[in-house]
Amino acid sequence: MRYNLAPDKPMASLVFTDTESPTAAFLLTNDDDRDTIAEIATRAGANVWAWVLGEEMPALPTPTLRS
């Protein structure tokens, strides 16, 4: 939900929690927000996975098996 977040700011669509460290997943309409999402993820202590819609989807993050 976008409480207190401007509509033109990127927001993670989901967070992968089965990876070595949390990975924020962003769906982007263009490449212009890559620096912004890197900054957001760094502040949150997460890695970034980004897919620019209309381009080929990158490989999903590798899950980490936990015992």
Side-chain angles (χ1 to χ4, degrees):
M1 302 188 114
R2 291 195 160 270
Y3 295 114
N4 296 325
L5 185 63
D8 63 336
K9 299 296 180 197
M11 182 173 109
S13 297
L14 63 99
V15 177
F16 294 100
T17 59
D18 61 348
T19 53
E20 191 167 326
S21 62
T23 302
F26 292 86
L27 303 177
L28 304 174
T29 55
N30 60 57
D31 226 17
D32 296 344
D33 287 325
R34 286 206 186 263
D35 290 340
T36 303
I37 64 173
E39 182 181 320
I40 292 168
T42 298
R43 281 186 283 161
N47 292 324
V48 172
W49 178 89
W51 178 16
V52 178
L53 301 176
E55 295 181 5
E56 187 172 334
M57 186 178 89
L60 295 172
T62 304
T64 300
L65 298 177
R66 294 191 169 102
S67 53

